[in-house]
Amino acid sequence: MQSRSPASRTGRPRSATADAAILAATREALVELGWSKLTLGDVATRAGVAKTTLYRRWAGKNELVVDAVAELFDALELPDRGSLAADIEGVVLQFATILALPEAKSGLMAVVAEATRDEALRERIRASVVDRQKRLVLEGRARAQARGELPAEPDPDSSARTVDLIFDMVAGAVVHRTLVSAEPADEEWVRGFTRVLLHGLSD
């Protein structure tokens, strides 16, 4: 079944309260039941809505879990700590804290595994998680450029490639550290990672 965006559907207006309850119930079910036992029927019961309400919004479990996990990452904020290095350390620590949540770990690992067989699901992950969180890179780079810590990049194509590269390096390293290696991304690790990110291995 192809993934469909809830925003593309027609009919009665969406209820923000119902959406919030459904996404919270999905995360609760992930922790208590795990991916394999989670069903839309259980989520509907926990959220206090009809099962048809879920199907009007999400095509299936994959899409629902992506949106439930994506909402966790929307809480990320780029702190203004006075320098690019300190700002990166602050947001990476937040990211690692979110990834340590049981619902984030189980949900993200499950949908990434499912996405290996589902191109539409991969697109949804990119749109709901990756593209939305690139805002942090854009904000951090603009702030650092205003401070004179980074040069301006007037060419839009080059600028976009830089944003992609920075996001991939940060997200890839933290996800691997916390979910694959199962090691803590504590303050010491984050300081070392930030130093290498900004200055390379020769510093």
Side-chain angles (χ1 to χ4, degrees):
M1 181 180 292
Q2 275 201 332
S3 305
R4 291 175 289 173
S5 169
S8 67
R9 303 190 184 185
T10 59
R12 287 179 293 179
R14 294 284 294 268
S15 165
T17 301
D19 285 357
I22 291 166
L23 296 177
T26 302
R27 293 190 292 268
E28 179 184 279
L30 275 170
V31 175
E32 293 186 15
L33 303 176
W35 167 263
S36 62
K37 294 182 180 179
L38 184 149
T39 66
L40 267 64
D42 180 76
V43 170
T45 299
R46 291 168 184 263
V49 300
K51 191 174 178 180
T52 53
T53 300
L54 269 73
Y55 280 110
R56 284 198 298 268
R57 290 159 162 76
W58 292 275
K61 181 167 74 171
N62 293 350
E63 294 85 354
L64 176 59
V65 172
V66 169
D67 287 0
V69 172
E71 189 175 59
L72 293 173
F73 297 122
D74 285 341
L76 285 168
E77 295 181 353
L78 185 70
D80 188 349
R81 294 181 163 190
S83 71
L84 177 59
D87 291 354
I88 292 172
E89 289 174 10
V91 76
V92 169
L93 285 169
Q94 288 179 52
F95 184 35
T97 298
I98 291 173
L99 286 175
L101 296 172
E103 58 267 40
K105 288 191 291 187
S106 57
L108 189 60
M109 295 287 273
V111 293
V112 168
E114 290 294 317
T116 62
R117 302 186 293 272
D118 187 340
E119 174 60 29
L121 184 59
R122 287 198 293 276
E123 289 294 336
R124 192 184 190 93
I125 293 170
R126 278 193 286 267
S128 298
V129 180
V130 176
D131 291 345
R132 284 209 318 236
Q133 299 315 319
K134 283 181 181 177
R135 63 185 171 83
L136 299 166
V137 178
L138 292 167
E139 182 182 348
R141 185 178 63 171
R143 186 185 294 166
Q145 288 171 339
R147 292 180 184 135
E149 296 174 291
L150 290 177
E153 257 185 297
D155 179 66
D157 291 336
S158 175
S159 176
R161 286 193 297 270
T162 299
V163 170
D164 287 345
L165 181 60
I166 294 170
F167 183 88
D168 289 346
M169 291 173 68
V170 174
V174 181
V175 168
H176 187 278
R177 176 73 177 180
T178 57
L179 300 187
V180 180
S181 298
E183 295 287 347
D186 54 20
E187 291 188 8
E188 181 180 1
W189 183 87
V190 170
R191 281 195 298 271
F193 166 72
T194 302
R195 184 173 60 252
V196 171
L197 177 68
L198 294 180
H199 305 294
L201 295 174
S202 61
D203 187 25

